[in-house]
Amino acid sequence: MGIFSRTRDIIAANFNDMLDKADDPAKMIRMIILEMEETLVEVRASAARTIADQKEMHRHTVKLDKLQADWGEKAQLALSKDREDLARAALVEKKKAADMADQLKQEIAVLDDALRAYEADIQKLQHRLREARSRQTAIAARLESAENRVKLRTLMSTERTDEALARFDQLERRVDYAEGRAEALSIADQSGKPSLSDEIAALEGADQIDDELEQMKKALGKNSAEKEG
């Protein structure tokens, strides 16, 4: 396939249809981008060769223009010496140089058209390449999201998850049992006979109650005396 045909096919390609029909959209978009990058390199290389050819043709036209001037001067010199035959031959050579120059200029004009086409194709290819890379990023993000959802659902539906949850239940039961044992030991310590600490605390509490009661009596007696007075 020629470079122009490939370029036109890529520019006219419908990425959406290609991706919809692909078994692996991510792989398809990578192939599309690779094809476009390779084509873009080839188009630029062709444009560079065309520019080089143009420059070479321009150099030849300059030489041919100078050659025409030289043959023209020679024809005038021959004619001034009454050598019409030499003058005629010199003019023939001048015409040959002029014809070659005209042909090169026509070829340069053709190359100008080709360069404009290359420039337009390069711009379109670059636009399509940016579009394809953007699609690749979106497809990669969607694919990663889908794979993560599949992994999550697979994890939630596997026996490993059930086993992990069962282990949590066992740990909770062990904790419940340990707490129950602690509460049972606390109940066992509460026998009918109070401990030494409990008896001392009770005495301290009794002293506080006696002090408060005495203060209330004093206050009551004082209030009664005030009323009698």
Side-chain angles (χ1 to χ4, degrees):
M1 183 182 294
I3 183 66
F4 282 105
S5 299
R6 262 177 54 192
T7 304
R8 296 295 184 272
D9 290 343
I10 292 175
I11 292 173
N14 189 327
F15 291 166
N16 292 331
D17 290 344
M18 296 173 68
L19 295 176
D20 290 342
K21 296 175 182 178
D23 295 331
D24 188 347
K27 182 178 180 180
M28 174 60 73
I29 197 70
R30 287 196 299 270
M31 292 175 60
I32 291 173
I33 290 174
L34 180 60
E35 177 73 10
M36 294 176 68
E37 289 175 340
E38 291 177 351
T39 304
L40 187 58
V41 169
E42 292 181 12
V43 173
R44 285 173 170 166
S46 297
R49 287 193 296 269
T50 301
I51 292 173
D53 290 342
Q54 269 195 329
K55 289 183 177 181
E56 185 177 2
M57 289 179 181
H58 276 300
R59 288 195 298 271
H60 281 302
T61 56
V62 171
K63 291 179 180 179
L64 289 171
D65 289 340
K66 184 179 179 181
L67 186 59
Q68 291 180 66
D70 290 341
W71 282 117
E73 292 176 358
K74 290 177 180 179
Q76 289 181 352
L77 177 62
L79 189 60
S80 65
K81 299 297 183 179
D82 296 328
R83 293 295 305 271
E84 185 175 342
D85 56 331
L86 293 179
R88 183 180 296 275
L91 292 176
V92 170
E93 294 300 324
K94 178 183 177 183
K95 186 177 186 305
K96 288 180 181 179
D99 292 341
M100 291 178 64
D102 290 340
Q103 183 177 355
L104 282 177
K105 290 176 182 178
Q106 291 176 6
E107 292 179 4
I108 290 173
V110 172
L111 292 181
D112 281 336
D113 294 337
L115 277 176
R116 282 192 290 269
Y118 279 133
E119 183 179 358
D121 287 343
I122 288 172
Q123 290 179 353
K124 291 176 182 178
L125 278 172
Q126 288 176 332
H127 174 74
R128 294 293 271 171
L129 188 56
R130 286 193 296 269
E131 180 184 352
R133 286 172 176 165
S134 176
R135 294 294 302 276
Q136 183 184 33
T137 302
I139 289 173
R142 290 174 58 190
L143 183 60
E144 182 180 2
S145 177
E147 289 176 348
N148 289 337
R149 289 198 302 270
V150 170
K151 290 179 182 178
L152 179 61
R153 291 177 182 176
T154 302
L155 178 63
M156 294 302 294
S157 63
T158 58
E159 295 180 356
R160 291 177 58 189
T161 304
D162 296 337
E163 291 176 0
L165 293 175
R167 289 176 185 173
F168 280 120
D169 292 338
Q170 292 176 2
L171 289 174
E172 287 182 348
R173 284 196 293 271
R174 289 183 183 179
V175 173
D176 292 339
Y177 178 70
E179 291 176 348
R181 287 188 62 190
E183 292 177 3
L185 291 173
S186 176
I187 294 173
D189 288 341
Q190 295 177 0
S191 57
K193 183 181 179 180
S195 65
L196 179 60
S197 298
D198 292 337
E199 290 181 357
I200 293 174
L203 290 176
E204 292 176 351
D207 290 342
Q208 292 177 357
I209 291 174
D210 291 340
D211 292 341
E212 187 175 357
L213 183 61
E214 188 65 28
Q215 291 177 4
M216 291 177 67
K217 286 180 179 180
K218 289 180 181 180
L220 184 61
K222 183 179 179 180
N223 291 336
S224 296
E226 290 177 354
K227 289 180 179 180
E228 290 177 359

